[in-house]
Amino acid sequence: MNYNFRFNALAPYTGEILRGISLTLQLTCLTMAIALVIGLFMALARMSDNRVLNVAARVYVEAIRNTPLLVQLFIVFFGLPSLGIRLDAYLAAVIGLSINVGAYASEILRAGIQSIRPSQVEAGRALGMTAGQTFRSVVLFPAVKAVYPALASQFVLLLLATSVVSSLGVGELFHQATFIDSRTYRSFESYALITVTYLVLTLGFRALFSLVYWLVFVRRPRA
Amino acid sequence: MIRELGLNDIVYLLEASRWTVALALIAILAGGVLGLIVAVLRIVSFKPANWLAIGYINLIQGTPLLGQLFIFFFGLPLFGIQIGAWEAAALALSINASAFLGEIWRGSLQSVSPRQWEAGAALGLTYWQRLTSVILPQAVRISIAPTVGYLMQLVKDTSLTALIGFIELTRASQILSAATFKPLQVYGLAAIVYFVICFSLSRLSEHLEKRTHAAR
């Protein structure tokens, strides 16, 4: 092999990489927040006695979970304009990702809500807790504890999935690799560096989430 | 040249989806062989092997599949290995799958109670007999449903190979969309094809899971 790896050729693009990281994190956090709201409503719809709501939530979850994110993004970004809905790339990415993650979040939240049995509330009330105390310590705290690990790994999956929106031209982290590649012609170095950057981000977030779990749920157990 | 969307185009998409299915099958087979090695390295009682497997799993699961695809696509030619989009796609997806399958199968192996090893020993079975006639039959049964579930994930993952130019269902839709200028219909059609494949696989996985639990 007679190829000289030149990672220092990428050094002038530190600013682009940092901008990419910042946009990726922004995209991930914004999407996660919207997806949790969508997920909560869909989980409630799924558990309601209203047949229409129930079926609608089911169709939504199945349609999203059984089709690839990339195709969903293409439908939002390239398909919707033919219905007169024109979105810029960033907005299309946020909408596409939120709709996608919302389906997964709704399943996680549904499992969390269903993990709380009515008898637990009755037990809390029988012990003399007020309605507020019961909700906080017997319903909310165990439910959050139950869904926390799944939501944390969903967050990391989302962080990695945001790389797909580079195909719409959103200037997040992965798109910066394409940009640097086009400027330096150092394809391998560009993609390798960006991929390792994702690794650092995901390992960092996993460590952070574990720390928070330990601080909140393990160190002073209340549930 | 803009033309109408016709029956031929639907046939074109269906033909391209053969490559989607082929890629997913290759990845589950090649990734399965590698994944088995990962699962074994992860559970043998030899620490360095465990660390190696954990490092490998973290590396693969901690980076985007898109990055892995590009690294293989641009990286291997630097080592004098000339590969096209097809080989890079198959290689990256197989390696990606091996990390996930390794974890699924480790879970299946570990979900068989260690008491069964002891029970086998008490009956005078050798290590190999215990593994092949006591542990593995149960572990394999437990692993079938999640493995089929993961195959559905793989089918969706193959869509990303469109971005390195491999012509499967998603790339074919991009080409067709550019030719007919009907993106909503074309991508909608692609989504329906993916849905049919993936929904069948996820229902199959659910069915298998119910059957496994009913038998126990």
Side-chain angles (χ1 to χ4, degrees):
Chain A
M1 149 173 189
N2 40 25
Y3 181 82
N4 295 315
F5 290 99
R6 281 191 45 207
F7 280 95
N8 54 1
L10 313 179
Y13 297 93
T14 316
E16 273 79 6
I17 296 173
L18 291 177
R19 253 205 306 284
I21 293 176
S22 136
L23 196 58
T24 287
L25 293 181
Q26 189 193 329
L27 203 56
T28 307
C29 294
L30 184 60
T31 300
M32 195 68 196
I34 301 173
L36 281 176
V37 176
I38 298 177
L40 186 61
F41 279 108
M42 286 297 159
L44 293 175
R46 188 70 196 274
M47 290 184 301
S48 81
D49 295 326
N50 185 325
R51 257 192 91 71
V52 179
L53 280 180
N54 204 306
V55 170
R58 261 187 99 92
V59 168
Y60 163 71
V61 169
E62 293 295 345
I64 295 301
R65 291 209 307 174
N66 290 296
T67 50
L69 171 64
L70 186 60
V71 174
Q72 294 162 12
L73 288 168
F74 282 174
I75 289 177
V76 172
F77 188 58
F78 298 112
L80 289 187
S82 52
L83 298 179
I85 305 166
R86 223 164 265 284
L87 305 161
D88 70 54
Y90 183 76
L91 196 57
V94 171
I95 293 175
L97 283 169
S98 302
I99 292 176
N100 182 273
V101 181
Y104 294 91
S106 88
E107 292 291 279
I108 296 172
L109 294 177
R110 189 165 64 102
I113 296 168
Q114 285 176 339
S115 71
I116 306 301
R117 285 188 217 90
S119 56
Q120 269 171 260
V121 180
E122 289 156 19
R125 299 291 286 161
L127 286 170
M129 290 172 141
T130 66
Q133 282 173 326
T134 310
F135 179 73
R136 253 181 296 131
S137 318
V138 182
V139 177
L140 193 60
F141 192 78
V144 171
K145 187 180 176 183
V147 296
Y148 181 89
L151 286 181
S153 60
Q154 192 63 53
F155 184 92
V156 172
L157 284 175
L158 170 61
L159 179 74
L160 295 176
T162 56
S163 64
V164 177
V165 308
S166 63
S167 61
L168 305 185
V170 179
E172 44 64 74
L173 186 53
F174 202 81
H175 189 75
Q176 300 300 338
T178 318
F179 173 77
I180 299 169
D181 174 27
S182 70
R183 288 298 182 87
T184 60
Y185 299 106
R186 293 279 161 186
S187 309
F188 177 78
E189 287 90 334
S190 309
Y191 290 109
L193 178 70
I194 294 298
T195 302
V196 170
T197 310
Y198 275 102
L199 182 65
V200 172
L201 289 176
T202 53
L203 292 180
F205 272 106
R206 276 198 208 143
L208 180 71
F209 287 135
S210 306
L211 179 70
V212 170
Y213 187 83
W214 185 81
L215 283 175
V216 178
F217 300 109
V218 179
R219 204 173 50 120
R220 44 186 192 101
R222 279 200 290 164
Chain B
M1 188 189 74
I2 296 171
R3 55 184 182 76
E4 285 301 302
L5 196 62
L7 194 63
N8 280 340
D9 299 321
I10 296 173
V11 173
Y12 173 67
L13 282 189
L14 288 177
E15 276 181 356
S17 60
R18 284 183 314 187
W19 291 105
T20 294
V21 173
L23 202 51
L25 289 179
I26 287 176
I28 201 137
L29 290 176
V33 174
L34 256 174
L36 209 55
I37 300 174
V38 174
V40 169
L41 286 180
R42 182 75 178 71
I43 58 169
V44 290
S45 44
F46 179 57
K47 283 269 185 273
N50 301 158
W51 294 331
L52 185 71
I54 292 171
Y56 177 77
I57 291 165
N58 274 328
L59 178 69
I60 301 295
Q61 296 193 347
T63 53
L65 172 59
L66 200 52
Q68 294 160 20
L69 279 166
F70 276 83
I71 284 179
F72 280 106
F73 188 55
F74 288 116
L76 286 180
L78 303 185
F79 293 89
I81 305 165
Q82 290 308 319
I83 58 165
W86 159 241
E87 291 91 343
L91 202 59
L93 275 173
S94 303
I95 287 182
N96 189 267
S98 72
F100 287 90
L101 289 172
E103 281 291 88
I104 292 173
W105 293 343
R106 172 185 69 92
S108 312
L109 278 170
Q110 286 182 335
S111 66
V112 180
S113 159
R115 301 258 168 82
Q116 306 227 7
W117 283 99
E118 294 162 15
L123 287 170
L125 300 176
T126 65
Y127 178 88
W128 189 247
Q129 284 173 323
R130 275 180 279 161
L131 183 68
T132 55
S133 29
V134 179
I135 305 296
L136 275 183
Q138 300 182 73
V140 167
R141 244 187 32 195
I142 294 167
S143 70
I144 288 174
T147 304
V148 173
Y150 180 70
L151 181 60
M152 165 243 189
Q153 177 65 43
L154 256 177
V155 170
K156 291 190 291 174
D157 284 346
T158 59
S159 67
L160 293 189
T161 64
L163 301 178
I164 59 168
F166 176 60
I167 303 181
E168 38 63 74
L169 182 49
T170 303
R171 182 80 193 107
S173 324
Q174 284 183 306
I175 294 169
L176 194 58
S177 163
T180 60
F181 217 68
K182 293 207 165 40
L184 191 61
Q185 287 90 326
V186 172
Y187 292 127
L189 216 57
I192 291 171
V193 177
Y194 277 114
F195 184 84
V196 169
I197 300 172
C198 294
F199 191 67
S200 321
L201 286 172
S202 48
R203 289 322 286 263
L204 178 64
S205 170
E206 275 169 35
H207 171 76
L208 289 169
E209 196 179 327
K210 274 194 197 111
R211 223 184 49 179
T212 320
H213 284 295
R216 273 199 294 172

